[in-house]
């Protein structure tokens, strides 16, 4: 079961990295968002990928022993996952307004 789960995660990461290169929801910092190019499937892919990335980041934070926790490996990691999640969420939110 663990091998199947790991295989699925690896496939998802592969698809995520490919979709981020083509998905108009993902853009560079301070670059305009091409809202006209966003399709329903782009939203589904971006939502799924950010969900996987967020889950992985949370799991990495949880696995850190209390004695090994630092500002960088805990608070900065939480800030980074929040920023990634917000990037996708905010773009989708703007589409709905």
């Amino acid at each position: 079961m663990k091998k199947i789960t790991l295989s699925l995660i690896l496939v998802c990461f592969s698809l995520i990295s490919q979709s981020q290169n083509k998905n108009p929801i993902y853009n560079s910092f301070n670059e305009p968002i091409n809202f006209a190019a966003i399709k329903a499937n782009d939203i589904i892919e971006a939502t799924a990928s950010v969900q996987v990335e967020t889950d992985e980041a949370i799991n990495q934070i949880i696995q850190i022993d209390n004695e090994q926790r630092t500002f960088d490996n805990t608070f900065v990691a939480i800030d980074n996952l929040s920023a990634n999640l917000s990037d996708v969420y905010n773009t989708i939110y703007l589409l709905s307004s």
Side-chain angles (χ1 to χ4, degrees), residues 13-54:
F13 277 124
S14 173
L15 293 174
I16 289 165
S17 63
Q18 291 173 3
S19 70
Q20 286 181 349
N21 293 333
K22 301 174 188 173
N23 194 324
I25 290 177
Y26 294 104
N27 58 338
S28 299
F29 183 69
N30 282 340
E31 291 292 319
I33 300 167
N34 185 1
F35 288 103
I38 297 174
K39 307 293 185 231
N41 197 44
D42 296 326
I43 295 169
I44 293 167
E45 287 177 6
T47 303
S49 70
V50 78
Q51 210 169 17
V52 169
E53 291 169 4
T54 301

Side-chain angles (χ1 to χ4, degrees), residues 2-95:
K2 288 183 180 181
K3 288 182 182 180
I4 293 172
T5 303
L6 180 59
S7 297
L8 288 174
I9 289 172
L10 292 174
V11 168
C12 285
F13 277 124
S14 173
L15 293 174
I16 289 165
S17 63
Q18 291 173 3
S19 70
Q20 286 181 349
N21 293 333
K22 301 174 188 173
N23 194 324
I25 290 177
Y26 294 104
N27 58 338
S28 299
F29 183 69
N30 282 340
E31 291 292 319
I33 300 167
N34 185 1
F35 288 103
I38 297 174
K39 307 293 185 231
N41 197 44
D42 296 326
I43 295 169
I44 293 167
E45 287 177 6
T47 303
S49 70
V50 78
Q51 210 169 17
V52 169
E53 291 169 4
T54 301
D55 287 344
E56 178 62 29
I58 290 169
N59 286 333
Q60 287 178 356
I61 294 166
I62 290 171
Q63 291 176 4
I64 301 169
D65 291 330
N66 286 337
E67 297 80 27
Q68 301 298 318
R69 289 190 187 279
T70 64
F71 182 82
D72 287 335
N73 71 15
T74 305
F75 287 106
V76 172
I78 291 170
D79 186 58
N80 289 339
L81 80 86
S82 176
N84 292 339
L85 184 61
S86 293
D87 287 345
V88 173
Y89 170 81
N90 292 337
T91 302
I92 295 169
Y93 175 79
L94 288 172
L95 278 170

